[in-house]
Amino acid sequence: MKALILTIGLLTLALQSFLGAQSSTSAPIGFHSELIKAKSFSLIGVNVTNNVNEPHHRSIQEMFGPNNETGLNAGKPEDADIVWFPDFDYGYVKIYYNHALQTFPPITVGWRGVGFGNVDMSQFEPPSNRGFFIESKKDYDWYIAFGGYIKQTEMFYDVEPGMNILNKGFPTNIQLNESGIEQSEGFEHGDQNTGDVIWLYRSDGTYDRYYYTDGGHERFPPLTPGWKRFGGGDEDVGHHILSSSFIVETKGGGGEITLHPPAGFVRTRGVTDPLAPPRANLVWSILKDANDVPNFVIWWSSVSGDIIYTTEAYNGSSWIFISEQRNLPGQILSNYATLGMGWGVARVVAEYSSF
């Protein structure tokens, strides 16, 4: 998917100035949108967090809205869209939204689970760092968007023999050969018969399967080291992109798998410069404009009129300038991006003005 670069928001104030030497950078924040296939099962992962530097876990109502604001098909289980969450005790927990009182069996309005009767499932939290399926009953493809903060450290997963459904952990594009998965203790190298297999979900509803080989001429046909695709022979496919959620088919004993963040997201370690201004404390929301177009909006409070706030967006390899703003202390600054199929990530750099 392509990056959706943030556009300048309504409250943006263009400013030309020299920047001070000390600066502070906010936590990155952003969104990603996923395609849900009509009359099909789509594999999805939530790759943003509720708060800065916390694990990926959200309740049902935090993912889809307390009143189904996301717009899943509502109704009885046979008519409603079903969200399938892998669960260690139940195999899958299947959740849907009931929009009208049902008298037999008695089911009230709200998030309910197949086989759970009238139990309120709005606070149910799926396993952390895992993906899930949406079984869509709609007659057309549609999109779902998730917003939040961006993790700045590695993703760690424990995988067991069999099929493990994992989220990617980051909204941006990550290539197989950038992920570091093949370096993980819990990932078995081999060929398509002996090695662990990664299943990547594609936008047409199919899966591509991959394995990592150390190569060797004793194999037939011979393989060079690297990522290979089922049916692709010795072609190097390390540049292929991880899907939002992916499946690791563990053929070995399992263990820990590590997935590395994009280089531009890695959190700088060290002591904060005491001369730097406070970091911008970003908050976000998804709001519709006057034309009913949904936008991902960020805003923060200006601490001082002497601070210049620079919004930067991540383009997949580096951070690029979007706008500069400042205002009186306590006033609100903002920026936004129009939601569409793809992702967007931003941060705000705070620096004292030199005049």
Side-chain angles (χ1 to χ4, degrees), residues 34 69 73 109 134 208 260 341:
E34 305 297 334
E69 284 78 0
N73 267 11
V109 173
I134 292 181
D208 287 328
H260 296 278
M341 184 57 185

Side-chain angles (χ1 to χ4, degrees), residues 250-263:
T250 302
K251 296 182 180 179
E256 185 176 83
I257 286 181
T258 304
L259 193 156
H260 296 278

Side-chain angles (χ1 to χ4, degrees), residues 18-236:
F18 295 101
L19 300 181
Q22 290 77 31
S23 65
S24 61
T25 303
S26 73
I29 196 169
F31 67 91
H32 63 99
S33 301
E34 305 297 334
L35 176 67
I36 310 299
K37 297 291 291 181
K39 302 292 186 181
S40 182
F41 284 79
S42 299
L43 181 60
I44 301 296
V46 178
N47 296 311
V48 286
T49 66
N50 284 336
N51 297 298
V52 177
N53 295 321
E54 76 169 14
H56 292 80
H57 60 80
R58 291 189 176 190
S59 68
I60 297 302
Q61 72 170 19
E62 288 173 331
M63 277 191 274
F64 305 110
N67 301 302
N68 188 28
E69 284 78 0
T70 297
L72 277 69
N73 267 11
K76 297 180 179 180
E78 57 266 29
D79 303 316
D81 293 342
I82 307 293
V83 188
W84 295 61
F85 295 101
D87 185 86
F88 298 117
D89 295 323
Y90 296 96
Y92 282 94
V93 173
K94 296 176 284 185
I95 295 179
Y96 67 99
Y97 189 82
N98 179 51
H99 69 299
L101 177 65
Q102 300 177 29
T103 57
F104 187 81
I107 304 292
T108 54
V109 173
W111 291 107
R112 300 294 179 260
V114 177
F116 287 83
N118 199 37
V119 175
D120 179 10
M121 302 295 284
S122 64
Q123 300 304 314
F124 174 79
E125 288 192 2
S128 182
N129 297 337
R130 302 283 160 161
F132 55 92
F133 297 93
I134 292 181
E135 179 190 1
S136 177
K137 308 287 178 61
K138 296 181 187 291
D139 295 322
Y140 53 87
D141 295 349
W142 56 288
Y143 297 97
I144 188 171
F146 301 102
Y149 300 92
I150 315 299
K151 188 174 171 63
Q152 295 180 265
T153 55
E154 296 88 350
M155 294 290 294
F156 297 102
Y157 316 90
D158 289 321
V159 298
E160 299 178 347
M163 308 296 272
N164 301 267
I165 305 173
L166 311 177
N167 70 329
K168 183 172 59 177
F170 308 96
T172 62
N173 293 338
I174 297 177
Q175 298 180 8
L176 281 168
N177 57 17
E178 295 172 333
S179 69
I181 292 174
E182 77 281 1
Q183 303 170 20
S184 303
E185 179 182 347
F187 190 78
E188 187 77 19
H189 296 185
D191 56 29
Q192 63 184 36
N193 296 314
T194 62
D196 291 348
V197 178
I198 291 185
W199 296 60
L200 300 185
Y201 180 73
R202 300 310 184 194
S203 59
D204 62 357
T206 63
Y207 292 83
D208 287 328
R209 292 180 292 168
Y210 300 83
Y211 60 96
Y212 189 90
T213 177
D214 295 321
H217 292 286
E218 70 279 1
R219 301 183 184 276
F220 184 80
L223 296 172
T224 55
W227 286 102
K228 312 296 176 184
R229 180 172 57 178
F230 275 56
D234 194 37
E235 179 188 3
D236 183 358

